[in-house]
Amino acid sequence: MTVTPSRTTRADGDADGGAPSDAGGDADVTVARAARPTGRHGKRQEKRPRKALGKVLGNAPAGSPDPFPAEPPPSEPPSPEPPPASGGFLARAALITAVLSVAGSLLGLVRDQALARLFGAGRDTDAFLVAWTVPEFAATLLIEDGLAFALIPAFSMALARRARGAGGDPVRALVAGTLPRLSLAFVAVGVLVAALAPQVVGSLAPGLPDPALAIDCTRLTATCVVSFGLAGYCSAALRAHRRFVAPAAIYVAYNTGIVTGMFVLGERWGVRSAAVGVAVGGCLMVAVQLPSLWGQLRKRDAETGGVAEEPRQLGGAIVATVLLFALCRQSQILVERFLASQLPSGAISHLNYAQKVAQMPMILSLMVCTVTFPVVARALAEGDTERARDRVQRDLALAACVVLLGTAAVVACAPQMIELFFQRGAFTARDTAATAGVMRVYALGLLGQTLVGVLARSYFSTGRASWYPAAAMAVGIVVTSWLGALCVAPWGVYGIAAANAAGITVTALVLLAGTAGGPAGAAPRRGAHRVPRCVPLHVPSVLSELSRPVGAALIATPAGAIVGSRFGDPAAGLAAGTLTVTTVFVLLGWALGAQGIASALRSVRSATRRLPYVPSR
């Protein structure tokens, strides 16, 4: 399927009623490069890079000085970047990404259902979930947050240099300077984790009754350090090129590997089969992306005639800051597992199942940020801070509406969800009641989780080292640890979930406070040379906008709970409760003037209309 960016934008940058027009916008099956007129030899007729840049910035009148005088255009212009992407383009990109991500999440739900059915919520499952900490950390550090926060701005800068007519190919130079070194680092860390598996398990869950099983699983899951690292690198490079299908499909491949491993090897190897599935799924994550990335690099090589440039490396400070932030964020899991390991068997499992279901709204809410993060990074690389700020504030409004709608549904229909999804085989009604209660408490922190995901991008999209996000996350970890230690004795897993929600909410507030007007009080400047340390936001406007969907969620939640509880069948109760929550939330949000709801409706309209016909091949 090929989706072509719309060329029709309004003067205010909002196209088709969706997101503002942003630079870049090519994608293959993913979200494709706009069609251009072709000459008699079949080659695209391209515009010169300087002219295309003026169109992107939108503020360079005829005869104005070059905003990048340090790099004069070459005599033979390179292949320019694609035209600006309209809001319809971004909406279609987000829709495609969301569809594949939802498919991956549903397969993740199937994975958790298979784990619950085959192994229940007892000693064996607890042992595997301790080993599961390794891929959870690797996903956050290498795919979702850490590596992406460092690489996407770096690739965006390289693409901006290419559009300005830099000699050689800055993108290939970046790959040559970073991929070999990072690959060696991935292998070294993976071997180290496997060798230190007994110490890792002892540190994560000292109260486990059977550490040997957890150690075996940890050694198997340690392979994901290498595979996730390579998968994260491919994802960052492809997203910077505005190619989203292959990166969005990685969790479909990953969960397929785990589910297959459990059903094929589960009877013979027990819960170790799930760890084998993790290893296989990690390799599949790389395999689904390599063809697309290789095609991008080869195509550019053909266009430039193989012209080379000196390899360029990432700054050590940038990598350190993003990895430290991601490490601190994932440390919440460590705190939870450490505290829950001292409770009766099954506590870790109940927390895990509750988190996996409750986090689905958060994953959906961040889909738009997955698409727009390269847009924000590219805008800052081109000096357009105003456009970056507008994009981030729109993302906050839309993501907050999506996650609050999901939170209301999760809290209202938690018992029906858990019973329908998990109550079969070794997973009993007692496990359902415990997991549903934990999920309701855990869901209180979903808004904070989403805000952290959006706001972190406003710091790291600049391509500069910033220690502030890691410091904010450290504050949240202190709150989580302190409250968890106080609450675990009287309230058990409920106290742990409440501490998690409180800690991440504190982090979100600290991150939001840091964006107020920019770190140095600098006003947004269009086309400015200086890149700010974060995207400056108008915090009072952000808080005012967030209050509208919060109010709608507070009313929609009890309404959905009342309606859902009137049905004995969990499927009917879930359907009725979710429908009630959605109806009440959307109507109230619309009445209160929530920008995110209106934006979501316009984006769906933009994404689904005028889809081009693509003949099968």
Side-chain angles (χ1 to χ4, degrees):
M1 174 181 176
T2 301
V3 181
T4 304
S6 169
R7 293 177 182 269
T8 303
T9 60
R10 297 201 302 266
D12 62 357
D14 194 5
D16 294 328
S21 173
D22 292 299
D26 73 315
D28 44 14
V29 127
T30 61
V31 175
R33 177 177 296 202
R36 304 227 177 144
T38 57
R40 56 193 179 98
H41 297 293
K43 296 183 179 180
R44 286 193 301 269
Q45 303 300 308
E46 309 285 8
K47 298 180 181 179
R48 294 183 64 84
R50 187 175 303 278
K51 187 174 181 181
L53 179 62
K55 183 178 180 182
V56 168
L57 292 177
N59 65 334
S64 60
D66 189 350
F68 301 101
E71 292 187 9
S75 56
E76 292 294 332
S79 177
E81 292 307 299
S86 69
F89 162 75
L90 292 177
R92 289 190 289 272
L95 179 62
I96 292 171
T97 303
V99 167
L100 286 172
S101 297
V102 168
S105 297
L106 290 177
L107 274 174
L109 183 60
V110 172
R111 173 201 68 208
D112 294 337
Q113 288 176 330
L115 186 67
R117 181 170 185 171
L118 294 173
F119 310 112
R123 180 175 301 183
D124 287 358
T125 311
D126 285 355
F128 168 72
L129 292 176
V130 170
W132 181 260
T133 306
V134 176
E136 283 183 322
F137 258 78
T140 300
L141 291 174
L142 304 176
I143 299 177
E144 297 165 7
D145 289 346
L147 203 60
F149 287 161
L151 286 173
I152 288 179
F155 275 104
S156 297
M157 291 290 292
L159 288 167
R161 292 184 64 245
R162 176 197 284 176
R164 297 199 297 265
D169 186 355
V171 176
R172 289 176 62 86
L174 179 61
V175 172
T178 55
L179 184 56
R181 294 171 181 267
L182 287 174
S183 299
L184 289 175
F186 299 151
V187 172
V189 174
V191 170
L192 185 64
V193 171
L196 298 178
Q199 290 77 12
V200 171
V201 171
S203 301
L204 293 177
L208 273 184
D210 185 12
L213 180 58
I215 291 170
D216 290 345
C217 291
T218 300
R219 284 177 172 149
L220 289 168
T221 59
T223 58
C224 73
V225 176
V226 180
S227 59
F228 281 24
L230 296 176
Y233 191 97
C234 294
S235 295
L238 288 172
R239 284 170 176 159
H241 283 82
R242 307 296 165 77
R243 303 196 177 259
F244 298 101
V245 166
I250 59 177
Y251 286 107
V252 174
Y254 175 59
N255 288 317
T256 298
I258 298 178
V259 172
T260 302
M262 284 193 288
F263 280 105
V264 172
L265 302 174
E267 186 175 352
R268 183 187 308 173
W269 290 4
V271 79
R272 292 178 179 86
S273 62
V276 173
V278 170
V280 174
C283 296
L284 293 177
M285 295 171 86
V286 182
V288 298
Q289 297 184 95
L290 278 180
S292 182
L293 181 60
W294 180 252
Q296 286 297 298
L297 297 178
R298 286 291 300 271
K299 181 171 69 172
R300 181 60 185 175
D301 187 42
E303 291 173 352
T304 58
V307 178
E309 182 179 338
E310 288 297 320
R312 293 178 175 266
Q313 301 177 13
L314 286 175
I318 296 175
V319 176
T321 54
V322 296
L323 291 182
L324 182 59
F325 166 77
L327 186 64
C328 289
R329 185 174 185 182
Q330 197 63 21
S331 294
Q332 283 191 308
I333 300 296
L334 295 183
V335 173
E336 291 179 7
R337 300 259 163 95
F338 181 86
L339 295 173
S341 68
Q342 304 171 41
L343 297 174
S345 294
I348 295 177
S349 299
H350 295 150
L351 280 170
N352 173 75
Y353 294 132
Q355 289 174 1
K356 291 298 185 296
V357 177
Q359 283 184 343
M360 291 180 71
M362 182 196 71
I363 294 171
L364 265 179
S365 68
L366 291 177
M367 285 303 98
V368 66
C369 301
T370 300
V371 172
T372 59
F373 181 39
V375 173
V376 175
R378 184 65 177 271
L380 291 176
E382 293 164 347
D384 197 345
T385 309
E386 183 179 354
R387 178 159 57 92
R389 180 180 67 173
D390 182 68
R391 181 69 262 169
V392 171
Q393 292 192 172
R394 287 171 180 258
D395 290 348
L396 281 169
L398 179 56
C401 282
V402 173
V403 78
L404 285 169
L405 173 59
T407 299
V410 165
V411 175
C413 305
Q416 293 90 340
M417 287 183 182
I418 299 302
E419 181 179 355
L420 182 64
F421 294 158
F422 297 114
Q423 189 174 314
R424 57 184 59 86
F427 198 93
T428 65
R430 177 180 172 275
D431 294 322
T432 294
T435 303
V438 173
M439 188 168 74
R440 280 175 161 162
V441 178
Y442 182 82
L444 300 179
L446 289 180
L447 178 60
Q449 294 274 8
T450 298
L451 294 181
V452 168
V454 178
L455 292 170
R457 288 164 171 80
S458 73
Y459 288 90
F460 294 123
S461 58
T462 62
R464 301 174 61 180
S466 176
W467 298 99
Y468 188 86
M473 198 68 239
V475 172
I477 292 299
V478 170
V479 173
T480 300
S481 303
W482 179 67
L483 286 180
L486 288 178
C487 299
V488 66
W491 296 315
V493 288
Y494 300 101
I496 297 174
N500 180 298
I504 198 65
T505 302
V506 169
T507 297
L509 293 175
V510 174
L511 285 174
L512 183 59
T515 64
R525 299 173 58 198
R526 196 175 186 83
H529 292 282
R530 186 176 61 179
V531 177
R533 292 191 179 276
C534 73
V535 178
L537 305 178
H538 189 248
V539 175
S541 297
V542 171
L543 292 176
S544 175
E545 179 58 38
L546 291 177
S547 67
R548 297 183 177 95
V550 168
L554 290 176
I555 298 175
T557 300
I562 292 172
V563 173
S565 63
R566 294 183 178 274
F567 294 83
D569 180 65
L574 177 59
T578 302
L579 180 60
T580 302
V581 166
T582 303
T583 302
V584 174
F585 182 87
V586 171
L587 291 177
L588 280 176
W590 186 276
L592 293 171
Q595 178 187 355
I597 291 180
S599 177
L601 295 176
R602 290 195 302 264
S603 296
V604 170
R605 182 184 62 188
S606 298
T608 55
R609 71 180 182 182
R610 300 197 309 271
L611 290 177
Y613 169 74
V614 180
S616 58
R617 296 180 181 178

